Amino acid sequence: MIALVARQPILDKNLNIFSYELLFRGKDSESFNGEQATAQVIMNTLESIGFTNLTEGQPAFINFTAELLKQGIPDLLAPEMVYIEVLETVTVDQKLLSGLETYKEMGFKIVLDDFVFSEDLIPLIKLADYIKIDFIITKGAERKKIITICNQYNSDIQYIAEKVETYDEFFAAKDMGFDYFQGFFFTKPKIIKAKKINSYSFTFFKMMKELNKDDPKIKKIEEIIKSDLSMSYSLLRIINSAHYGYDVKSIRQAIVLLGVDRLRKWSLLYFLKGLDNEKPDILFKTAILRANFAESLAGYFGDNRGENLFVLGLLSVIDAYLDRKLENILAEISLSNNLKEALIKREGQLGDLLLFIEAFEKLNLKEAENYIEKYSINYGMVFDNYSTALEKTKDIVEAFENNKL
């Protein structure tokens, strides 16, 4: 039985990463019970990826059944790295409560998952550090009512709104008093509207338009880069970094040495990271992770030019960066019809690739398996590729944070 582990970010009110929930699905998911699922999450994380790579040093939320808690499985884990997420299916009894009390004393945080109030859960409420309220299961005023009731028994609880899929839901949750937010609202535009292009964006669009032509002109690329001092500096920094090992003083020489494909990647990364807006860091990390993951799957989705798939992954969230309609953004960039159809309509093989990645992000295994079967993807390879994509993403993000790119 092969299992996959993926992560979903949990953000604070300022859209900074607070933690990641580690999620599991198995290929033969019906054959995995709750105990096996959590065991796979823990073992795959410890043995294959490592907590540091998967959660970037942030705490990991991991689901635990009552049986695993009674068996003492959290004893294997570090309290500062793991938050115990108690599944909504547990039956509350004295043995469970005694175990949770012990774990709290050890320093573990207790999280109640998919919470809907009932009186038999009051002992759990008194122990809880966090309560997660599902925005699909609960509606409107019901969410606020749960908070009000739980605060009567434990005023120190912090609340997590989960399955938040739009910015409207995010803002509503903030107004209700939620402290943290889980869902993929941050990958979507806040408002679709006509938005004036600033000079920074304009330079990027000119660059991408030239780079994506069938026969891009070195002289034209040089002119565009030289028109932007920051871009010129960044290019010389990357070409002269230890990774490449050159000693280059000329923009033209840097362009020739990098080549069109690597220039395309660099310009996209430079643009997304450098945007002066309120977008969360997790959006940049998600874009890079999608890009690396997509590139690793090039052999399965009918495009052996992995660089194009890197660009595809990055551009899949560009509407969220610019808060503009994707069709309008792509009209200003010279892209192949295959890439445009994939990005706008999720059509064609590359559209399937994006749908597969999005399903994998949410661990919607049923949908993901449709593409695994359709394209004869090696199931075990997906986990390896995802692990490698995480490592590459970490390296790229660190390079930007250290001003190396």
Side-chain angles (χ1 to χ4, degrees):
M1 294 185 293
I2 299 173
L4 300 176
V5 177
R7 65 185 192 181
Q8 285 190 356
I10 300 175
L11 309 179
D12 65 17
K13 292 178 180 179
N14 297 316
L15 300 184
N16 296 316
I17 299 170
F18 164 64
S19 64
Y20 288 98
E21 179 174 2
L22 303 189
L23 297 169
F24 158 88
R25 294 294 185 274
K27 183 177 181 181
D28 303 310
S29 55
E30 293 182 359
S31 65
F32 284 84
N33 58 31
E35 284 77 31
Q36 290 172 314
T38 295
Q40 289 285 351
V41 166
I42 293 171
M43 296 311 296
N44 283 343
T45 302
L46 290 176
E47 292 178 354
S48 301
I49 306 177
F51 273 106
T52 301
N53 283 338
L54 197 54
T55 70
E56 301 168 5
Q58 303 296 334
F61 280 53
I62 297 180
N63 292 331
F64 284 87
T65 63
E67 187 60 30
L68 285 174
L69 291 169
K70 292 175 183 178
Q71 290 175 358
I73 298 302
D75 293 345
L76 302 172
L77 304 168
E80 68 273 12
M81 290 302 298
V82 174
Y83 287 13
I84 295 173
E85 191 162 342
V86 183
L87 292 174
E88 69 278 7
T89 54
V90 300
T91 298
V92 180
D93 57 31
Q94 190 53 51
K95 188 172 182 180
L96 174 67
L97 293 173
S98 296
L100 290 174
E101 287 171 357
T102 299
Y103 288 127
K104 273 191 74 86
E105 291 173 1
M106 292 171 62
F108 284 96
K109 301 295 185 183
I110 307 300
V111 185
L112 305 185
D113 187 33
D114 289 347
F115 188 84
V116 176
F117 178 79
S118 64
E119 289 191 1
D120 63 309
L121 296 177
I122 292 174
L124 287 181
I125 296 171
K126 293 179 178 179
L127 284 172
D129 297 285
Y130 301 89
I131 285 180
K132 297 177 75 172
I133 298 177
D134 188 312
F135 264 46
I136 293 178
I137 295 175
T138 61
K139 305 296 178 184
E142 181 184 357
R143 302 160 184 162
K144 182 65 176 178
K145 184 178 180 181
I146 292 173
I147 294 176
T148 301
I149 294 173
C150 291
N151 281 343
Q152 295 174 7
Y153 299 99
N154 183 349
S155 60
D156 294 326
I157 291 175
Q158 293 184 291
Y159 295 91
I160 302 170
E162 61 177 333
K163 295 182 184 171
V164 177
E165 297 300 313
T166 68
Y167 267 96
D168 285 345
E169 289 179 338
F170 167 65
F171 292 132
K174 283 183 70 174
D175 289 342
M176 286 181 194
F178 282 87
D179 303 283
Y180 301 101
F181 313 87
Q182 182 176 3
F184 286 90
F185 65 94
F186 61 86
T187 63
K188 299 176 177 64
K190 286 184 182 178
I191 304 171
I192 296 293
K193 62 181 181 181
K195 192 172 183 179
K196 184 179 179 181
I197 302 175
N198 58 34
S199 58
Y200 180 84
S201 301
F202 186 67
T203 302
F204 160 75
F205 285 124
K206 287 198 298 182
M207 182 78 163
M208 288 305 296
K209 188 171 185 178
E210 186 63 32
L211 285 171
N212 284 294
K213 289 180 178 178
D214 292 333
D215 183 25
K217 304 299 182 185
I218 298 298
K219 184 177 180 181
K220 181 65 174 176
I221 295 171
E222 181 184 13
E223 290 173 356
I224 295 170
I225 294 175
K226 283 183 174 180
S227 72
D228 187 309
L229 181 60
S230 177
M231 184 177 281
S232 300
Y233 175 74
S234 177
L235 178 60
L236 291 175
R237 282 291 298 272
I238 185 175
I239 199 68
N240 290 322
S241 68
H243 180 71
Y244 291 102
Y246 296 115
D247 184 15
V248 174
K249 307 299 182 187
S250 160
I251 295 295
R252 177 174 288 241
Q253 187 182 4
I255 292 168
V256 172
L257 286 171
L258 274 184
V260 170
D261 289 330
R262 286 187 293 191
L263 271 173
R264 190 184 292 118
K265 286 184 179 181
W266 163 75
S267 61
L268 261 173
L269 289 170
Y270 169 82
F271 171 69
L272 294 181
K273 188 58 179 176
L275 279 173
D276 183 19
N277 56 31
E278 299 177 352
K279 297 300 179 182
D281 285 344
I282 185 60
L283 183 59
F284 183 59
K285 293 176 181 178
T286 298
I288 299 174
L289 182 55
R290 282 189 182 185
N292 283 313
F293 196 26
E295 187 175 49
S296 75
L297 298 170
Y300 289 98
F301 285 86
D303 188 333
N304 291 316
R305 294 185 298 164
E307 292 81 2
N308 283 350
L309 300 192
F310 190 93
V311 170
L312 180 75
L314 285 178
L315 289 178
S316 67
V317 294
I318 196 169
D319 54 337
Y321 267 102
L322 298 178
D323 294 323
R324 297 175 63 207
K325 287 186 178 180
L326 191 57
E327 297 92 322
N328 295 341
I329 297 170
L330 297 184
E332 300 167 28
I333 304 174
S334 297
L335 288 178
S336 69
N337 287 333
N338 286 343
L339 287 175
K340 285 187 176 181
E341 292 295 303
L343 288 163
I344 296 171
K345 300 179 181 178
R346 296 298 193 264
E347 291 183 353
Q349 289 184 326
L350 300 186
D352 284 350
L353 172 58
L354 287 178
L355 290 171
F356 169 68
I357 290 174
E358 289 166 351
F360 185 83
E361 285 176 343
K362 299 179 180 181
L363 275 187
N364 183 341
L365 191 68
K366 186 174 182 181
E367 183 178 347
E369 281 191 336
N370 290 334
Y371 300 108
I372 288 174
E373 293 176 8
K374 181 176 179 179
Y375 292 98
S376 301
I377 299 172
N378 181 292
Y379 200 94
M381 180 222 66
V382 173
F383 181 76
D384 292 337
N385 284 21
Y386 182 71
S387 300
T388 302
L390 279 172
E391 292 176 4
K392 288 183 177 180
T393 299
K394 180 174 176 286
D395 290 342
I396 290 173
V397 170
E398 286 180 352
F400 270 99
E401 290 175 348
N402 294 329
N403 296 315
K404 293 179 181 177
L405 294 182

